[in-house]
Amino acid sequence: MNLISYQERLSRLEGDKESLILQVSVLTDQVEAQGAKISDLQSSLVEHQHKLDSTEEMLQQELLHRTSLENQKLSLMGEVSYLKIKLADMEGKQGQGAERQHKAEGLIKELRILKDKVEHLEDQKLQYEKKLKATKSLQYTISAQIPLLTVHPTFLNAVQSDVPWTKGQVCGWLEDYGLGQYVNLTRQWVENGQTLLSATPQDFEKEMGMKNPLHRKKLQLALNAFTTKVIEKSSELDYIWVTRWLDDIGLPQYKDQFHEARVDGRMIQYLTVNDLLTLKVTSQLHHLSIKCAIHVLHANKFNPNCLRRRPGEERQPSPSEVVQWSNHRVMEWLRAVDLAEYAPNLRGSGVHGGLIILEPRFSSETLALLLNIPPQKTLLRRHLATAFSALVGTQATQEKREYGNATGHVPLTTTAKVKPKKLGFTQFSHLRKRKPDESADYICPIDSGTLTVNGVSRLPSAALRGLSPNLDRQPERREPMGIKAQANGPKP
């Protein structure tokens, strides 16, 4: 019985053993499968870790970008706030603009009345100045100790009576003449008036410290007038008047240079090309503008009020009237011919009546260029050409057209520059023999043979050379704008 029970137990144990072996094999397979899954999960974990790191970097960059955008947003909001404030301010000013416009119209009327009064007062002032000079001239003859307050009459009396100026009178004259900055060195150098009369421009530079060549020229011209005892009408126009004259001819941008150089009426009469270059006037058009303006002064005997600033009663002005138009009067004409929007472009252009009439190369195309009228606006340019022809007259229009069609004609432009004349080797030998009053170098030389164009007195062709290439190239074959010589001299 025991043996049988042992055998049954053994057989049961063997069955259990086989069952356990089977279970172990199954578990081993499961462990291996789980190990493979674990390795896969580990590799997947590493991959996700990389992705997580890259995602964190991208998130950091996005945060930085968002911060910068927020800063930009804040700055833009600040700018928007500023623009809103500025817009509100401009709207407030715009509301006040209507009231100011009404006030401005009233002020313009008052200003015109005041201008008339000022011109009347200027005429009276000139008359009083002439009387004052005559009175001071008499005072000097009575006593040589009276301080010198005028320029020419008193000095002539001193020369005629052989009474030399004292050092104090010389310094006082320099002060009144606009050269007061040289008084201190002059006081150390001069003994009396004769020291100045016998001095050279080199002495002025060395002894008086007069480095500005135009100051030396101004002083030399005054002393030459003293020694020759010639009183010119241009000497009555001081350097303050010259700055107003620059406004009238449309060149206010040069007022500071002319004022600093103390350019007066006499210097205007004897200006050269190099003088203008020294004054930083390099534009060929501006040289021609000054040249024609000086000629108008010559034709009007240097009358300080010869230029017309406002429209008169004439419906169709003649060329002899147009030649005296100021820059402002030309702009008024543009407004009258329905070109008001382009009129402000003439400020600083140098366009005045003298340039329009006296310069043969100045045409309606030149004016259109200065007014900045686009070439594609053909109807507007044609309207300007018609109005320009009516202004200068039929004869002048034909002469300008013929001059423009001449062989070798170079149109007048706004960009052409004037260069200083270069001396060749053979010209250096003539420098010492050259006379200081040689008129060939002057912008507008004085010539006894006065000519007229359309009733307008003007100088012969030699006066217009030097700036116009055509006049220099063919002086014998053509006279500018059909100039006709007057048989009996200039008009009174």
Side-chain angles (χ1 to χ4, degrees):
M1 288 291 292
N2 292 331
L3 181 62
I4 294 171
S5 62
Y6 283 131
Q7 286 178 353
E8 287 177 358
R9 188 179 294 176
L10 180 61
S11 61
R12 254 193 330 270
L13 289 173
E14 287 179 355
D16 292 339
K17 177 182 177 182
E18 291 176 358
S19 176
L20 289 173
I21 290 172
L22 181 61
Q23 290 179 8
V24 167
S25 63
V26 171
L27 290 173
T28 301
D29 293 337
Q30 290 179 356
V31 167
E32 290 177 356
Q34 292 297 326
K37 287 183 179 180
I38 289 172
S39 61
D40 291 340
L41 288 173
Q42 286 179 345
S43 60
S44 177
L45 179 62
V46 172
E47 183 180 353
H48 282 81
Q49 187 67 36
H50 288 304
K51 290 183 179 179
L52 180 61
D53 292 339
S54 62
T55 305
E56 287 180 351
E57 290 180 0
M58 292 176 62
L59 179 61
Q60 190 68 26
Q61 292 178 358
E62 289 294 331
L63 288 174
L64 293 174
H65 184 61
R66 181 179 178 182
T67 304
S68 64
L69 288 176
E70 288 179 352
N71 292 334
Q72 291 179 8
K73 179 182 177 181
L74 291 174
S75 63
L76 288 174
M77 290 177 64
E79 291 183 4
V80 169
S81 300
Y82 171 74
L83 291 175
K84 286 181 179 179
I85 295 172
K86 191 173 182 180
L87 179 61
D89 185 50
M90 291 179 66
E91 289 176 350
K93 289 182 179 179
Q94 186 176 4
Q96 297 175 357
E99 299 179 1
R100 291 182 179 178
Q101 185 175 1
H102 292 300
K103 292 181 181 179
E105 291 177 356
L107 289 174
I108 289 173
K109 293 180 181 179
E110 294 180 3
L111 184 61
R112 289 177 180 174
I113 298 173
L114 288 174
K115 282 184 177 179
D116 294 335
K117 292 181 179 179
V118 167
E119 288 186 355
H120 179 67
L121 290 174
E122 285 181 352
D123 293 336
Q124 289 183 346
K125 178 185 174 183
L126 288 174
Q127 295 177 1
Y128 287 138
E129 285 179 350
K130 290 179 181 179
K131 293 179 181 179
L132 183 62
K133 288 181 179 179
T135 303
K136 290 176 179 177
S137 177
L138 293 174
Q139 289 177 347
Y140 186 87
T141 57
I142 295 173
S143 174
Q145 301 301 322
I146 296 178
L148 183 62
L149 296 177
T150 58
V151 178
H152 301 299
T154 53
F155 188 89
L156 290 178
N157 289 335
V159 172
Q160 292 171 355
S161 60
D162 296 327
V163 177
W165 278 4
T166 65
K167 181 184 297 188
Q169 288 173 324
V170 170
C171 294
W173 174 73
L174 284 175
E175 189 77 37
D176 294 333
Y177 202 47
L179 300 175
Q181 64 266 44
Y182 304 110
V183 166
N184 292 334
L185 291 177
T186 302
R187 188 175 287 109
Q188 299 174 12
W189 171 50
V190 301
E191 296 181 0
N192 51 42
Q194 190 60 37
T195 307
L196 273 186
L197 290 174
S198 59
T200 63
Q202 290 76 15
D203 294 331
F204 301 152
E205 183 176 5
K206 178 181 177 182
E207 304 294 342
M208 299 173 63
M210 196 174 288
K211 305 297 182 182
N212 192 321
L214 295 174
H215 288 178
R216 297 195 296 269
K217 180 173 183 176
K218 176 184 177 76
L219 181 56
Q220 189 65 51
L221 287 173
L223 296 176
N224 289 343
F226 291 162
T227 54
T228 57
K229 302 180 182 179
V230 174
I231 301 177
E232 297 173 308
K233 292 290 293 182
S234 60
S235 64
E236 298 177 4
L237 309 178
D238 60 13
Y239 63 92
I240 302 297
W241 176 87
V242 170
T243 58
R244 296 197 298 268
W245 175 73
L246 288 171
D247 276 324
D248 286 337
I249 66 175
L251 296 174
Q253 61 268 40
Y254 301 115
K255 289 168 65 173
D256 290 341
Q257 293 93 306
F258 275 69
H259 186 273
E260 183 180 353
R262 295 296 191 267
V263 177
D264 55 16
R266 186 191 284 110
M267 291 183 70
I268 287 290
Q269 182 175 347
Y270 295 105
L271 274 180
T272 65
V273 173
N274 285 336
D275 289 340
L276 287 183
L277 293 176
T278 302
L279 291 165
K280 300 180 181 180
V281 184
T282 58
S283 168
Q284 184 189 60
L285 181 63
H286 294 172
H287 275 242
L288 290 171
S289 172
I290 293 174
K291 178 180 195 150
C292 295
I294 295 174
H295 174 70
V296 173
L297 287 176
H298 276 298
N300 289 274
K301 299 180 181 179
F302 282 85
N303 178 3
N305 300 312
C306 63
L307 294 182
R308 301 290 178 262
R309 299 179 179 89
R310 294 187 307 279
E313 298 179 356
E314 72 279 358
R315 292 185 178 180
Q316 184 58 43
S318 65
S320 59
E321 294 171 329
V322 175
V323 78
Q324 293 181 304
W325 280 9
S326 67
N327 176 260
H328 181 74
R329 179 64 183 90
V330 175
M331 288 195 286
E332 290 292 334
W333 169 75
L334 286 171
R335 296 185 180 97
V337 296
D338 299 326
L339 291 171
E341 61 179 305
Y342 296 100
N345 294 334
L346 281 192
R347 293 193 182 111
S349 65
V351 175
H352 54 88
L355 180 66
I356 293 174
I357 299 295
L358 299 177
E359 174 51 44
R361 289 198 292 161
F362 193 93
S363 62
S364 61
E365 291 297 324
T366 312
L367 185 56
L369 187 64
L370 290 168
L371 291 174
N372 291 327
I373 299 178
Q376 60 269 23
K377 292 191 176 182
T378 54
L379 292 178
L380 198 59
R381 286 192 168 223
R382 192 179 305 167
H383 169 68
L384 175 63
T386 303
F388 184 85
S389 299
L391 180 69
V392 302
T394 306
Q395 181 181 352
T397 302
Q398 181 65 25
E399 290 166 351
K400 285 176 180 286
R401 186 179 297 113
E402 291 176 357
Y403 192 85
N405 295 332
T407 305
H409 169 70
V410 179
L412 195 58
T413 65
T414 58
T415 57
K417 302 294 182 182
V418 176
K419 297 181 179 179
K421 297 179 180 178
K422 295 182 179 179
L423 295 178
F425 180 76
T426 56
Q427 292 175 301
F428 282 100
S429 59
H430 302 291
L431 290 179
R432 293 186 179 180
K433 300 178 182 179
R434 188 175 175 184
K435 296 181 180 179
D437 60 345
E438 187 178 349
S439 61
D441 290 334
Y442 296 143
I443 287 290
C444 187
I446 306 170
D447 198 300
S448 57
T450 307
L451 306 173
T452 59
V453 177
N454 298 326
V456 180
S457 174
R458 65 181 291 168
L459 298 176
S461 58
L464 296 174
R465 297 176 192 164
L467 294 178
S468 176
N470 293 57
L471 293 175
D472 291 337
R473 190 180 296 111
Q474 297 174 335
E476 299 86 11
R477 295 175 57 187
R478 182 180 179 83
E479 292 178 339
M481 291 183 63
I483 297 176
K484 299 179 181 180
Q486 278 187 334
N488 299 322
K491 282 188 176 184

PDB file of all heavy atoms in Angstrom, residues 8 113 133 218 341 360 472:
ATOM      1  N   GLU A   8       2.159   6.856  -6.754  1.00  0.00           N
ATOM      2  CA  GLU A   8       1.149   7.842  -7.167  1.00  0.00           C
ATOM      3  C   GLU A   8       1.654   9.259  -6.855  1.00  0.00           C
ATOM      4  O   GLU A   8       1.478  10.160  -7.654  1.00  0.00           O
ATOM      5  CB  GLU A   8      -0.176   7.563  -6.383  1.00  0.00           C
ATOM      6  CG  GLU A   8      -0.872   6.326  -6.879  1.00  0.00           C
ATOM      7  CD  GLU A   8      -2.110   6.044  -6.051  1.00  0.00           C
ATOM      8  OE1 GLU A   8      -2.390   6.793  -5.069  1.00  0.00           O
ATOM      9  OE2 GLU A   8      -2.851   5.108  -6.394  1.00  0.00           O
ATOM     10  N   ILE A 113      -0.424 149.418 -46.768  1.00  0.00           N
ATOM     11  CA  ILE A 113      -0.455 150.841 -46.431  1.00  0.00           C
ATOM     12  C   ILE A 113       0.863 151.265 -45.799  1.00  0.00           C
ATOM     13  O   ILE A 113       1.434 152.317 -46.122  1.00  0.00           O
ATOM     14  CB  ILE A 113      -1.639 151.138 -45.491  1.00  0.00           C
ATOM     15  CG1 ILE A 113      -2.963 150.813 -46.197  1.00  0.00           C
ATOM     16  CG2 ILE A 113      -1.601 152.583 -45.026  1.00  0.00           C
ATOM     17  CD1 ILE A 113      -4.186 150.918 -45.292  1.00  0.00           C
ATOM     18  N   LYS A 133      24.516 165.890 -45.521  1.00  0.00           N
ATOM     19  CA  LYS A 133      25.881 165.836 -46.039  1.00  0.00           C
ATOM     20  C   LYS A 133      26.376 167.229 -46.430  1.00  0.00           C
ATOM     21  O   LYS A 133      27.524 167.584 -46.171  1.00  0.00           O
ATOM     22  CB  LYS A 133      25.953 164.884 -47.234  1.00  0.00           C
ATOM     23  CG  LYS A 133      25.828 163.415 -46.859  1.00  0.00           C
ATOM     24  CD  LYS A 133      25.929 162.534 -48.093  1.00  0.00           C
ATOM     25  CE  LYS A 133      25.820 161.068 -47.686  1.00  0.00           C
ATOM     26  NZ  LYS A 133      25.892 160.170 -48.864  1.00  0.00           N
ATOM     27  N   LYS A 218      36.974 147.771 -51.276  1.00  0.00           N
ATOM     28  CA  LYS A 218      36.053 148.829 -50.844  1.00  0.00           C
ATOM     29  C   LYS A 218      36.830 150.071 -50.415  1.00  0.00           C
ATOM     30  O   LYS A 218      36.506 151.197 -50.826  1.00  0.00           O
ATOM     31  CB  LYS A 218      35.203 148.297 -49.695  1.00  0.00           C
ATOM     32  CG  LYS A 218      34.248 149.313 -49.052  1.00  0.00           C
ATOM     33  CD  LYS A 218      33.553 148.675 -47.866  1.00  0.00           C
ATOM     34  CE  LYS A 218      32.646 149.675 -47.149  1.00  0.00           C
ATOM     35  NZ  LYS A 218      31.407 149.909 -47.902  1.00  0.00           N
ATOM     36  N   GLU A 341       0.276 129.051 -58.154  1.00  0.00           N
ATOM     37  CA  GLU A 341       0.833 127.923 -57.391  1.00  0.00           C
ATOM     38  C   GLU A 341       2.321 127.733 -57.645  1.00  0.00           C
ATOM     39  O   GLU A 341       3.026 127.131 -56.841  1.00  0.00           O
ATOM     40  CB  GLU A 341       0.090 126.640 -57.737  1.00  0.00           C
ATOM     41  CG  GLU A 341       0.170 126.236 -59.200  1.00  0.00           C
ATOM     42  CD  GLU A 341      -0.571 124.942 -59.469  1.00  0.00           C
ATOM     43  OE1 GLU A 341      -0.252 123.950 -58.797  1.00  0.00           O
ATOM     44  OE2 GLU A 341      -1.456 124.931 -60.348  1.00  0.00           O
ATOM     45  N   PRO A 360      19.518 137.583 -73.522  1.00  0.00           N
ATOM     46  CA  PRO A 360      18.917 136.946 -74.710  1.00  0.00           C
ATOM     47  C   PRO A 360      18.661 135.464 -74.536  1.00  0.00           C
ATOM     48  O   PRO A 360      17.789 134.911 -75.196  1.00  0.00           O
ATOM     49  CB  PRO A 360      19.961 137.212 -75.804  1.00  0.00           C
ATOM     50  CG  PRO A 360      21.250 137.450 -75.079  1.00  0.00           C
ATOM     51  CD  PRO A 360      20.872 138.104 -73.788  1.00  0.00           C
ATOM     52  N   ASP A 472      30.829 135.093 -76.471  1.00  0.00           N
ATOM     53  CA  ASP A 472      32.277 134.999 -76.525  1.00  0.00           C
ATOM     54  C   ASP A 472      32.749 134.355 -77.817  1.00  0.00           C
ATOM     55  O   ASP A 472      33.807 134.679 -78.337  1.00  0.00           O
ATOM     56  CB  ASP A 472      32.793 134.168 -75.345  1.00  0.00           C
ATOM     57  CG  ASP A 472      32.614 134.895 -74.040  1.00  0.00           C
ATOM     58  OD1 ASP A 472      32.522 136.133 -74.102  1.00  0.00           O
ATOM     59  OD2 ASP A 472      32.554 134.236 -72.994  1.00  0.00           O
TER      60      ASP A 472
END
